Amino acid sequence: MAVELADLLDELIGDPEATQAYADYVLKYASSGTLLELACGTGALAQRLTAHFTVEGLDIDQAMIRRFQIRNPQCRTHGRSMIDLSGLGLYEVIVCFGDSLNYLMEEGDVQRMFQSVWDHLKPGGVFLLDAHTEARLAEFETEFIEEGYLGSVAYQWTIQTQPDHRLDHHLVFYDPTGVPQRLQIVQRVYSLDQLERWLKRFAWVIEVSSDFIQGVDSQAEKFFLACRKEKP
């Protein structure tokens, strides 16, 4: 029986405290309006935000979209890439969390995503994102290995740094009969300087945090960037 990552994601990486921290981070910069969540996954964050915003979810993985809809049936969803938002509306808030930006392997795709977000953000709106710091590359120079069970499904998850600022994730899930299903996920880590340089091509007012704490800490796990689109 095939295993869908979407069916196991909440058990694998779900963290209610972290999800609430992300919700609080959003509410620090906006309190209402329309919100588009890029790479929305199974909708755990959206569930915390629907009391404040009209939320839409976007994800290229249709299984994730199905899980999102079960959790948030009142929300519109879009099964597509976050690189190109053409055809969508304008939003007060656009968010991209869970180091999802790092799944874009080409610099040009990151820049196209920033352009598309700019085009679909209302004046005065805010774009909130996080991304791996370069410290993660050093952390995973030695292979990380995690093993365990997700319900009746045994799994192994390894992460290791590769050339060209890549992080390779290898996941193996074993069904109850022991048959393995393998999944490889690759991320690319961009420097804060790169991200800020690409963002500053637009008239953003940018505020940087590190692991939810104000200021830049190069040894943190993630950088957070709050980008306000100034009103004309």
Side-chain angles (χ1 to χ4, degrees):
M1 180 179 64
V3 174
E4 291 275 13
L5 179 60
D7 294 335
L8 301 173
L9 189 67
D10 290 334
E11 287 187 75
L12 185 65
I13 63 170
D15 183 337
E17 289 186 8
T19 302
Q20 186 59 52
Y22 276 108
D24 292 342
Y25 180 74
V26 174
L27 291 168
K28 176 181 175 182
Y29 294 96
S31 58
S32 63
T34 52
L35 183 149
L36 175 65
E37 183 181 4
L38 306 179
C40 62
T42 63
L45 176 60
Q47 190 175 36
R48 308 248 180 161
L49 294 174
T50 52
H52 306 276
F53 302 94
T54 300
V55 177
E56 297 181 20
L58 180 149
D59 204 294
I60 199 169
D61 186 328
Q62 295 298 326
M64 294 292 182
I65 288 291
R66 289 193 293 272
R67 282 287 175 179
F68 182 101
Q69 290 170 332
I70 291 170
R71 186 174 252 147
N72 302 284
Q74 75 277 34
C75 297
R76 290 185 62 196
T77 55
H78 311 278
R80 56 189 292 181
S81 168
M82 62 185 176
I83 296 171
D84 181 6
L85 305 181
S86 58
L88 300 186
L90 297 177
Y91 303 90
E92 274 88 16
V93 184
I94 299 177
V95 305
C96 183
F97 292 138
D99 48 80
S100 296
L101 177 143
N102 296 111
Y103 294 109
L104 299 180
M105 298 301 294
E106 301 296 332
E107 295 182 6
D109 285 343
V110 178
Q111 294 173 67
R112 280 188 285 275
M113 191 260 273
F114 288 168
Q115 175 70 66
S116 201
V117 168
W118 175 264
D119 292 341
H120 288 267
L121 196 64
K122 292 181 179 181
V126 63
F127 174 38
L128 304 173
L129 69 151
D130 72 0
H132 285 311
T133 70
E134 290 178 287
R136 301 293 268 174
L137 296 170
E139 179 182 353
F140 295 116
E141 283 182 356
T142 300
E143 186 180 43
F144 163 88
I145 301 175
E146 178 179 297
E147 298 175 321
Y149 281 86
L150 303 170
S152 63
V153 177
Y155 77 96
Q156 182 186 72
W157 179 11
T158 66
I159 309 173
Q160 189 160 30
T161 299
Q162 301 295 336
D164 300 321
H165 293 84
R166 288 192 353 250
L167 292 175
D168 281 8
H169 302 249
H170 294 271
L171 288 150
V172 185
F173 301 105
Y174 299 89
D175 73 13
T177 66
V179 175
Q181 180 175 329
R182 303 179 190 280
L183 177 65
Q184 181 174 9
I185 301 171
V186 183
Q187 294 182 299
R188 182 175 176 185
V189 178
Y190 299 96
S191 71
L192 180 60
D193 287 345
Q194 284 177 300
L195 297 177
E196 288 189 302
R197 184 171 70 250
W198 296 332
L199 287 165
K200 285 177 179 177
R201 293 175 182 173
F202 310 96
W204 305 105
V205 176
I206 302 172
E207 182 178 299
V208 180
S209 305
S210 305
D211 293 341
F212 298 110
I213 300 171
Q214 188 67 35
V216 176
D217 178 359
S218 62
Q219 297 306 306
E221 290 189 4
K222 299 177 189 287
F223 288 129
F224 287 74
L225 295 99
C227 311
R228 180 78 64 181
K229 184 175 183 178
E230 290 192 291
K231 295 181 179 179

